[in-house]
Amino acid sequence: MATQISGRLAIKMINQSYTSNTHFRKSSYKQQKKPPCASSSDTQVQVFSVSQAPKRLQEKTSLPINGKDEKGIMLASARQEAQVAMKRPDSGGMEGSVISLLANHFLVQFDSSQRIYHYDVEITPQPSREIARMIKQKLVQDNQEVLSGALPAFDGRKNLYSSVEFQNDKLEFFVSLPILTTKSVLPLRDINDMLESQQIRRKLFRVNIKLASKLDGNELSSYLSNDGDDWIPLPQDYLHALDVVLRESPAEKCIPVGRSLYSSSMGGVKDIGGGAIGLRGFFQSLRPTQQGLALNVDFSVTAFHESIGMISYLQKRLEFLYDLSQRKTRGLLGDEKKEVEKTLKNIRVFVCHRETDQRYRVFSLTDESTENLWFRDRDGKNLRIVDYFKEHYNHDIQYRNLPCLQISRSKPCYLPMELCVVCEGQKFLGKLSDDQTAKILKMGCQKPRERKAIINGVMAGSIGATSGDQGREFKLNISREMTQLYGRVLQPPKLKLGNGGHITDLIPSRHDRQWNFLDSHVFEGTRIERWALISFGGTAEHRSLIPRFINQLSKRCEQLGIFLNKNASLQPQYEPIQVLNNVPLLESKLKKIHRAVSSNLQLLICVMERKHRGYADFKRIAETNIGVVSQCCLYSNLTKLGSQFLANLALKINAKVGGSTVALYNSFSSQIPRLFGEKDPAIFLGADVTHPHPLDDSSPSIAAVVGSMNWPAANKYISRMRSQTHRQEIIQDLKEMVTELLGEFNQELNMLPKRIIFFRDGVSETQFHKVLQVELEAIKAACLAFPMYKPTITFAVVQKRHHTRLFVNETNSLSSGTQFFNENVPPGTVVDSVVTHPTEFDFYLCSHWGMKGTSRPTHYHVLWDENQFSSDELQKVVYNLCYTFARCTKPVSLVPPAYYAHLAAYRGRLYLDKSDSAFGKTTTSISRVSPPLKATPLPKLSDNVKKLMFYC
């Protein structure tokens, strides 16, 4: 597939041929020899304080001098306390065969002499973001002389950026704007078009503009050309200004959501059901990289609320209201009303009975039905709602038994549902159903060639960053070509499997690196003598499938080297699915089964008629109150007992009861003897925090840490979970959890690990410094719990939520033989140059084979490394670990410690969910209340399961 090129020099020379200066040569500085230090354009530079940096980190700092210009305006060179970032230990890895790639990064050249003027904007009355953009357009159009002929960029809120200075530092304008009185249109229409509309009225806004700072481009130039030892901070303000400039044109034509922009022009609107639509768009972010400033552009899909009448919307959203239009006299029962209120909370609506530009946010529902609602008018007269709308708007309220929408938190302000329409452009924050999720995923599932074409189309089209005049206004030159670079494809490791008590070896040679157990067994199979089966729901025909299922599962386990007693410890227990709604009854049923096997059950198999929220209670009761691991499946999977389904089930069961699927044939101690030894064990830790639903403002976050408990195989992980403050990303109880895991490791091996390799999942670049500062200290504090114990620690962040994509380069490939260019990059593809951080220790690794859509490489960013890994060593460790995941026979996309931590945190989330018999939903209600000061603690794991991979 790829040609071997010996040495890093070849790759480095090739990649350097693709890099160029990222700005025009108007300023004097040295041609860069080495890539500059940088981080994400929308984040602060992630660095460590000097006092905390290990010896290998650079120690020199430079403190910029705070200053003001002649007008007293703060200059952008003013900086906080200097901090330094850890450097890459070498020039990058050398192992693997070279592969020619494209990355969805587009080079941005800028003029370093270009100063950008930052103005604060205050608009009263405060408008929506869309209206604010219209105001800015009108203001610029009518005041060219006062604004010195500028075409400024606006973020829609408070920040305005101009390439020239306005005539005065403080300006006040009054803008009379035509406002649509019918529903808004998306993308935003031009003001001139709106003037031709019949249904408009004018509204007056006051706009105050004040000079905030002057941003100097030379700082970014110096930053990008820095090739010395002096640390230069990333000029975040200037970078943010450029980012706003490049979003100006797309934001006028698309719906901005976070850092993405959506438009119906990118493939129309797709109805995904349940009152939601899917819309295609693109992500855009400016990033400093090794090649310089680059615009990261990616294809994106998300769900929006459908803009339809409120009655139709409720019929689509809630099954129990599907016939609402046929039953206009219908009211809402207590539980139904709660469900409707939860569904409509914070949704924006407009009214269709009168001409107005106002948009309202739903706060709650009225206690009374519309029929019984009265209010006091301005004259102090009491009026019925239904009479008011008849008299003033000649409208007979049809749905009189429904409550009204309450659109104010503080005072009565009622809107009848039938007169409200859901506003367009609102991101769907509710939890998507399985069917909705499948449709959204299908919309975003493009093969590499198609995804690449979409991204290139954005860059060349009428809605991307190059579509407006802002680039020319601010002297920016944006490439329309994807970044070309060379990566390396690492070789797969030799694996160790079992064969009737003997060890066999295997090197995954297929293109997708998948292997099978045709001539071998799992590395360590378990014996399951005592087990039981419980069924929830299902027809008589369904239940007749159980004996065959047990027989086939037992045979498949035997083929894989796992012993599952063909005879269960007691007869299958068949229960109605409603038992899952009744927590006390469910618990008594499970305890009865456990007692029947002398409280010595190894495994409980559960078959369900369908997915049910009672699954959460089932898992919690089994793993905390009873102390047994369980394996759940659906009856729909039992109708066709495929070999793959049975094998997947067997592998999960084996891992849960203490076995292991595979091990590395050459352990880390033999692969990297410089760092790892047989008698100098290492522990791999993974950590993740899962947060509640976006609309939930009170439920706790769940933190989980897992640790490998065997050496040198390092393929069995136990977990510790804790609840913590709502949406708190920093792991509050990390010290205690790591202390427990180190203690368990010590019990298993009778020694403590010499090295700790910590993989932290779920952290954004803005949080790097704080996470490292707090959590590294917590790990060190955990080590102090053991006398004279001071291991070396590596702390790496693992990121999947990024938008860098790698494509095989069709036009300039070094690969030999047939190449399928519409396929994903092969497993083992690693990139640590050109599009990575210029000086810090990071790399992209695509360890898996992407069967559907376009692969997302995982980004590994090492924030701390006392173990002194080289690039090759750490990349090999991570890639090899990806082959040891217990649930499948192929390399996974995420390093297993982080993967397991994610699964464990999700299991902890289930423990806090309580089933609700009325709707089968959780009583962890979606609410807008202040979170409690102290998080509800998780129930304690049973001693029988806490040392097992029950979460797998």
Side-chain angles (χ1 to χ4, degrees):
M1 179 183 287
T3 305
Q4 182 73 38
I5 295 183
S6 60
R8 176 71 186 174
L9 184 60
I11 301 174
K12 191 173 181 181
M13 291 174 63
I14 297 169
N15 279 338
Q16 280 182 345
S17 70
Y18 290 132
T19 61
S20 62
N21 290 339
T22 58
H23 38 81
F24 302 128
R25 299 293 298 272
K26 287 195 176 182
S27 60
S28 59
Y29 54 84
K30 291 190 293 181
Q31 175 72 19
Q32 68 179 54
K33 297 179 183 176
K34 194 160 60 176
C37 174
S39 74
S40 170
S41 67
D42 57 334
T43 63
Q44 295 290 334
V45 64
Q46 308 311 321
V47 290
F48 321 132
S49 64
V50 180
S51 61
Q52 295 171 325
K55 293 180 180 178
R56 298 178 67 210
L57 306 190
Q58 65 184 74
E59 297 174 353
K60 295 185 179 181
T61 62
S62 58
L63 278 170
I65 300 172
N66 293 348
K68 297 184 179 181
D69 70 357
E70 64 278 2
K71 295 181 181 180
I73 302 299
M74 288 297 295
L75 293 174
S77 59
R79 288 290 179 264
Q80 301 276 330
E81 175 188 357
Q83 296 174 320
V84 295
M86 180 177 172
K87 284 190 173 182
R88 195 181 299 274
D90 46 39
S91 60
M94 293 187 290
E95 294 190 9
S97 50
V98 175
I99 183 171
S100 180
L101 302 169
L102 294 172
N104 58 338
H105 287 217
F106 298 83
L107 196 63
V108 177
Q109 296 176 321
F110 71 98
D111 186 342
S112 61
S113 66
Q114 176 66 59
R115 179 173 276 195
I116 295 178
Y117 299 87
H118 175 206
Y119 290 88
D120 278 337
V121 179
E122 184 180 355
I123 305 175
T124 50
Q126 189 173 345
S128 67
R129 227 171 179 183
E130 293 85 357
I131 301 299
R133 291 189 184 280
M134 293 184 195
I135 294 169
K136 174 258 178 183
Q137 288 177 3
K138 180 69 173 168
L139 187 149
V140 171
Q141 198 176 75
D142 296 346
N143 298 278
Q144 277 292 290
E145 186 176 345
V146 179
L147 300 180
S148 305
L151 291 175
F154 182 45
D155 68 356
R157 287 181 176 143
K158 298 279 292 180
N159 301 297
L160 187 77
Y161 297 98
S162 173
S163 60
V164 295
E165 192 169 5
F166 299 158
Q167 287 186 4
N168 295 299
D169 294 345
K170 292 183 179 179
L171 296 168
E172 184 176 70
F173 301 92
F174 290 89
V175 179
S176 177
L177 193 70
I179 301 292
L180 282 170
T181 56
T182 56
K183 69 176 184 177
S184 62
V185 290
L186 294 167
L188 202 63
R189 295 200 305 181
D190 187 80
I191 287 178
N192 292 329
D193 294 335
M194 290 171 54
L195 289 170
E196 298 172 8
S197 171
Q198 297 293 319
Q199 296 176 301
I200 58 173
R201 69 180 180 83
R202 308 190 78 84
K203 188 170 183 177
L204 191 66
F205 296 90
R206 184 173 72 179
V207 184
N208 287 307
I209 298 176
K210 178 182 177 183
L211 183 61
S213 61
K214 299 176 182 180
L215 311 177
D216 193 347
N218 284 312
E219 287 198 355
L220 185 54
S221 171
S222 300
Y223 180 89
L224 291 169
S225 60
N226 176 35
D227 59 354
D229 290 332
D230 286 346
W231 177 77
I232 299 175
L234 175 66
Q236 184 65 43
D237 294 341
Y238 195 86
L239 202 58
H240 177 71
L242 294 182
D243 205 51
V244 171
V245 168
L246 293 178
R247 292 174 65 83
E248 176 75 5
S249 180
E252 289 179 353
K253 304 163 187 172
C254 304
I255 309 169
V257 178
R259 303 205 63 79
S260 294
L261 302 113
Y262 297 91
S263 171
S264 57
S265 67
M266 288 188 66
V269 175
K270 181 177 176 62
D271 186 350
I272 62 171
I277 57 171
L279 210 56
R280 293 180 172 90
F282 62 96
F283 168 90
Q284 177 179 301
S285 177
L286 193 62
R287 299 180 63 89
T289 64
Q290 286 194 28
Q291 66 171 333
L293 280 185
L295 193 67
N296 181 201
V297 179
D298 191 25
F299 176 57
S300 181
V301 174
T302 199
F304 288 84
H305 292 285
E306 188 177 3
S307 181
I308 53 177
M310 181 58 70
I311 299 299
S312 299
Y313 179 78
L314 286 175
Q315 287 181 263
K316 289 189 173 189
R317 277 296 300 271
L318 300 169
E319 286 184 15
F320 60 87
L321 293 179
Y322 77 97
D323 60 349
L324 186 56
S325 57
Q326 285 79 47
R327 299 173 58 194
K328 294 183 179 180
T329 59
R330 189 194 197 288
L332 295 179
L333 303 175
D335 286 331
E336 290 178 337
K337 185 182 174 187
K338 287 180 183 177
E339 196 71 11
V340 171
E341 192 166 59
K342 189 169 74 173
T343 298
L344 299 183
K345 190 87 170 179
N346 289 296
I347 286 181
R348 286 182 290 118
V349 298
F350 64 89
V351 293
C352 55
H353 63 281
R354 61 188 173 90
E355 292 186 353
T356 176
D357 63 289
Q358 278 188 282
R359 302 293 183 261
Y360 307 96
R361 193 178 294 274
V362 179
F363 173 67
S364 63
L365 300 182
T366 57
D367 293 330
E368 298 286 341
S369 64
T370 307
E371 171 80 21
N372 299 322
L373 269 177
W374 293 69
F375 74 100
R376 190 182 296 274
D377 67 6
R378 292 177 181 175
D379 299 326
K381 183 181 177 182
N382 283 331
L383 292 175
R384 287 177 73 210
I385 286 285
V386 291
D387 295 336
Y388 173 81
F389 279 93
K390 178 63 178 175
E391 291 174 16
H392 285 74
Y393 301 104
N394 195 29
H395 180 83
D396 283 314
I397 301 294
Q398 301 293 306
Y399 298 87
R400 296 188 171 210
N401 291 325
L402 293 179
C404 278
L405 303 181
Q406 167 66 288
I407 56 170
S408 172
R409 184 187 297 264
S410 56
K411 60 182 180 180
C413 194
Y414 310 134
L415 292 178
M417 289 189 188
E418 65 197 72
L419 298 178
C420 296
V421 181
V422 177
C423 293
E424 281 186 303
Q426 296 181 83
K427 189 176 187 300
F428 192 95
L429 295 177
K431 183 173 173 58
L432 294 175
S433 68
D434 290 346
D435 185 55
Q436 288 174 319
T437 301
K439 289 176 179 176
I440 282 288
L441 289 175
K442 188 175 181 181
M443 283 183 70
C445 188
Q446 273 76 30
K447 279 287 191 181
R449 182 177 286 173
E450 185 180 352
R451 192 183 195 96
K452 185 169 61 173
I454 292 171
I455 295 169
N456 285 329
V458 168
M459 291 302 293
S462 60
I463 60 173
T466 60
S467 61
D469 298 324
Q470 281 70 32
R472 185 167 60 253
E473 174 81 2
F474 288 83
K475 299 180 183 177
L476 300 176
N477 184 15
I478 308 143
S479 172
R480 287 173 169 79
E481 301 293 327
M482 282 193 181
T483 294
Q484 299 184 50
L485 71 157
Y486 282 89
R488 294 169 291 113
V489 182
L490 304 179
Q491 290 301 305
K494 183 187 287 190
L495 304 178
K496 190 189 296 185
L497 306 175
N499 188 4
H502 302 288
I503 291 176
T504 184
D505 65 281
L506 167 77
I507 296 179
S509 57
R510 281 177 36 165
H511 72 285
D512 57 4
R513 298 304 183 226
Q514 192 163 348
W515 71 93
N516 56 52
F517 288 104
L518 286 179
D519 301 314
S520 55
H521 296 159
V522 295
F523 176 63
E524 185 183 351
T526 52
R527 291 188 65 84
I528 305 167
E529 302 276 4
R530 301 170 305 282
W531 64 278
L533 184 143
I534 188 169
S535 159
F536 295 102
T539 63
E541 185 180 355
H542 279 145
R543 294 177 181 183
S544 67
L545 300 173
I546 293 294
R548 178 171 171 265
F549 166 59
I550 293 173
N551 183 51
Q552 293 291 92
L553 180 60
S554 178
K555 284 184 178 179
R556 194 70 182 99
C557 283
E558 185 180 359
Q559 292 169 359
L560 294 170
I562 306 162
F563 176 78
L564 177 66
N565 194 334
K566 291 184 179 180
N567 301 310
S569 298
L570 67 160
Q571 290 296 314
Q573 306 294 300
Y574 297 103
E575 303 291 347
I577 199 162
Q578 288 77 16
V579 171
L580 289 170
N581 289 326
N582 190 325
V583 175
L585 180 60
L586 175 62
E587 185 166 354
S588 69
K589 297 279 187 185
L590 298 184
K591 284 183 175 178
K592 184 178 178 181
I593 292 173
H594 197 47
R595 285 195 301 269
V597 195
S598 304
S599 300
N600 202 15
L601 202 63
Q602 290 176 274
L603 172 70
L604 180 59
I605 295 177
C606 169
V607 187
M608 294 183 182
E609 175 188 326
R610 56 181 167 80
K611 290 184 178 180
H612 194 285
R613 289 298 184 103
Y615 169 85
D617 290 308
F618 176 85
K619 288 291 184 180
R620 175 178 51 80
I621 294 166
E623 292 159 4
T624 63
N625 294 7
I626 296 174
V628 62
V629 296
S630 57
Q631 180 59 54
C632 297
C633 60
L634 300 176
Y635 270 114
S636 57
N637 292 321
L638 270 54
T639 54
K640 295 180 180 178
L641 287 174
S643 176
Q644 191 60 57
F645 166 72
L646 292 170
N648 291 343
L649 217 57
L651 293 182
K652 291 181 72 174
I653 289 171
N654 185 55
K656 287 179 180 181
V657 295
S660 62
T661 304
V662 67
L664 298 173
Y665 191 84
N666 298 308
S667 65
F668 292 120
S669 53
S670 60
Q671 288 189 57
I672 312 174
R674 183 180 74 83
L675 293 177
F676 302 111
E678 290 281 353
K679 296 183 179 179
D680 294 321
I683 186 172
F684 295 104
L685 296 176
D688 193 15
V689 178
T690 178
H691 300 293
H693 190 278
L695 292 180
D696 186 333
D697 276 0
S698 60
S699 297
S701 294
I702 307 296
V705 184
V706 302
S708 58
M709 290 292 122
N710 56 342
W711 183 259
N715 60 1
K716 292 183 182 180
Y717 292 78
I718 67 171
S719 69
R720 290 294 181 268
M721 302 172 293
R722 298 284 194 280
S723 62
Q724 60 184 42
T725 307
H726 175 77
R727 300 210 183 282
Q728 171 69 47
E729 182 58 49
I730 303 297
I731 301 177
Q732 294 172 337
D733 294 330
L734 182 61
K735 174 188 170 183
E736 292 76 12
M737 289 190 278
V738 172
T739 301
E740 290 179 25
L741 291 173
L742 290 174
E744 296 283 0
F745 189 97
N746 193 26
Q747 281 188 11
E748 291 290 330
L749 275 75
N750 203 27
M751 66 175 79
L752 287 162
K754 183 179 179 182
R755 304 182 190 278
I756 295 176
I757 296 92
F758 185 83
F759 293 100
R760 178 65 159 91
D761 195 9
V763 178
S764 66
E765 290 172 335
T766 53
Q767 299 166 315
F768 278 8
H769 177 59
K770 188 175 183 183
V771 165
L772 180 69
Q773 190 177 41
V774 176
E775 295 186 1
L776 178 64
E777 291 308 311
I779 296 170
K780 290 180 176 178
C783 297
L784 293 176
F786 304 91
M788 306 296 292
Y789 178 53
K790 196 173 182 181
T792 49
I793 300 169
T794 296
F795 191 114
V797 168
V798 185
Q799 293 175 307
K800 286 287 285 182
R801 292 184 178 180
H802 62 83
H803 289 270
T804 295
R805 298 292 183 272
L806 302 173
F807 305 93
V808 176
N809 189 354
E810 302 180 31
T811 58
N812 188 21
S813 177
L814 293 184
S815 303
S816 58
T818 304
Q819 180 63 266
F820 299 98
F821 291 114
N822 201 30
E823 300 293 346
N824 279 298
V825 296
T829 299
V830 65
V831 167
D832 56 11
S833 62
V834 184
V835 295
T836 50
H837 194 289
T839 60
E840 293 182 15
F841 190 3
D842 73 325
F843 57 90
Y844 291 96
L845 173 63
C846 195
S847 50
H848 69 298
W849 171 250
M851 295 179 63
K852 293 182 179 180
T854 304
S855 295
R856 186 202 307 256
T858 300
H859 187 216
Y860 297 89
H861 200 127
V862 183
L863 303 185
W864 191 266
D865 183 27
E866 296 169 345
N867 288 304
Q868 301 191 1
F869 280 101
S870 69
S871 293
D872 276 326
E873 287 169 342
L874 187 59
Q875 289 162 13
K876 179 188 290 187
V877 166
V878 171
Y879 185 46
N880 286 4
L881 280 172
C882 289
Y883 281 81
T884 66
F885 190 65
R887 300 200 319 194
C888 57
T889 55
K890 58 185 177 183
V892 289
S893 62
L894 190 66
V895 67
Y899 203 144
Y900 291 139
H902 176 77
L903 294 176
Y906 175 72
R907 180 57 55 83
R909 166 74 49 212
L910 286 183
Y911 288 172
L912 292 183
D913 286 348
K914 309 292 181 187
S915 61
D916 183 325
S917 59
F919 295 100
K921 301 288 179 70
T922 62
T923 58
T924 307
S925 61
I926 295 174
S927 56
R928 291 282 174 185
V929 298
S930 300
L933 295 175
K934 195 168 184 180
T936 305
L938 293 178
K940 289 188 177 180
L941 288 170
S942 166
D943 289 339
N944 292 347
V945 301
K946 67 191 302 184
K947 293 188 178 183
L948 297 173
M949 295 175 67
F950 62 92
Y951 53 83
C952 186

